[in-house]
Amino acid sequence: WGAARCTRWGPYHRCSAYGQRRCLRWSSWLQTEEVLGKHAAAQEKEEIEGEQLAEEALNADMRRQESERHRRCVSWGAASCTRWGPYHRCSAYGQRRCVRWSAWLQTDSSAEDTAAKAQEAAEGELLAQEALEADMAHQEEEQGRHCMTWGPTKCTSMGQFDRCRAYDRTCSEWSAWLQKPSLVEVADVSQVAAEEEAAEHAMEDEMQQQEAAKGRRCVSWGAARCTRWGPYHRCSAYGQRRCLRWSSWLQTEEVLGKHAAAQEKEEIEGEQLAEEALNADMRRQESERHRRCVSWGAASCTRWGPYHRCSAYGQRRCRRW
C-alpha cells in the first residue's frame, strides 16, 4: 500500500481526515492467511534445501581441488554467491580459490607424525627453558653476585612449529654480593619496609602539625615527593607536603559532616523553590495568553549554588501555542 496523506489537519498537529490509499503492487489472487502461511512455509523449506545442496556442492568442489593438487589448503578465499533465491538465501555458489596451500596433502598417518613432532617441539622448548634457568644460576655463581635485573630473553635457535630450542639471557644490573633469598627476605626486606612505614608516619605527623599551626583543615594536599630512595625501590624519606587549598577553619570530621548535610539540604530546598517559581511563571504566561503552550523552550539557570545546584532560573519562553 502507498502512504496515507492527511487531507485535513486538526489542533495540536493531529490529522482529522485521511485521503484514499492506493495499492502499489497486487498479488495474483486473494489468499487467506492460512493459504499464505502454508505457501510461505513450503517455499522456505524448498529454499533451505536448495541452500544445503549448494553448500554440499561447494564442499565437494573444494575436496576435488585438494585431491588434484595432492595438497591441503590452509586458507580458503571467500565464497561468492552467483544466484540468490527468495528470503535472501543463496541457491548457488561460485568456485572458492585457495589462498595458501600446505606442503603436501596429509593422510591420517602423516597427521599423527605431525602431532608427534609438535609434542616433541613442545618438550624441547621446556628443556630450553630449564637450560636457561640453569645458565642464569651459573652466571650468578661465576660472578659471586645476585642479579637485580635480567635483560630480555632472546631465542638463539628456532625449531619447528615456531618453538624456540635455545634461549640466551644476560644480567643488566648486579648486586654488591651474592645473597641468599632467605637472608634477603629476613634482613633487607623487613628493614626497608620498616623504614618506609616510619617515613609515612613522619609525613602524616608533619601534615597534622601544619593544620594545627594554621588553625584550619587542608582540603587538598599536594603530591608527596620522595627525597631518599632505599633498596628494592622503596622510599625511606619524604619531603614536605604543601597544602593546595585550606578550609575556612579547622573542623573535625563530625562537624564537617553535619555542616555539609545542612548545606546540601539548604541547597535542595533552594532548588525546589526555584523550580516552583519557574512553574508559576509558566502558568502565568498561559493565563495571560488564554492558550495552552504545547512546547516550552529550555530553562537557563541564572544563578548557581554549591554542589552544582541551580538556585534561580530565567524565564521560559513558549515555542508553540
Side-chain angles (χ1 to χ4, degrees), residues 173-230:
E173 183 185 357
W174 292 96
S175 64
W177 58 82
L178 185 61
Q179 295 173 326
K180 295 181 179 180
S182 59
L183 296 178
V184 174
E185 293 176 0
V186 175
D188 291 347
V189 177
S190 59
Q191 182 179 358
V192 171
E195 291 179 358
E196 186 178 18
E197 186 177 359
E200 291 178 355
H201 287 311
M203 182 177 62
E204 292 175 358
D205 293 340
E206 198 269 336
M207 292 162 61
Q208 293 177 1
Q209 290 177 5
Q210 289 187 48
E211 287 183 337
K214 288 278 188 178
R216 291 182 294 174
R217 180 177 175 271
C218 184
V219 181
S220 176
W221 287 97
R225 296 184 179 180
C226 184
T227 57
R228 187 171 67 252
W229 291 96

Side-chain angles (χ1 to χ4, degrees), residues 250-319:
L250 186 61
Q251 296 173 328
T252 60
E253 294 296 333
E254 183 179 0
V255 174
L256 283 173
K258 292 181 180 179
H259 178 70
Q263 190 174 5
E264 186 175 6
K265 181 180 180 181
E266 182 180 353
E267 293 300 326
I268 292 174
E269 293 175 354
E271 188 177 18
Q272 291 175 354
L273 292 175
E275 291 178 355
E276 292 175 0
L278 179 64
N279 294 331
D281 180 72
M282 293 161 61
R283 290 193 296 270
R284 180 187 59 78
Q285 293 184 49
E286 288 183 337
S287 63
E288 289 179 354
R289 293 262 185 170
H290 300 289
R291 287 186 294 175
R292 180 175 173 272
C293 183
V294 180
S295 175
W296 286 97
S300 58
C301 183
T302 57
R303 187 170 68 249
W304 291 95
Y307 302 99
H308 199 66
R309 296 183 182 276
C310 186
S311 57
Y313 290 97
Q315 188 180 23
R316 294 186 72 180
R317 298 186 181 276
C318 183
R319 294 181 177 177

Side-chain angles (χ1 to χ4, degrees), residues 6 15 61 81 102 108 123 126 155 160 171 190 195 202 239 255 287:
C6 182
C15 187
D61 180 71
C81 183
S102 64
D108 294 336
E123 293 176 354
L126 292 175
C155 182
Q160 294 181 346
C171 183
S190 59
E195 291 179 358
V255 174
S287 63

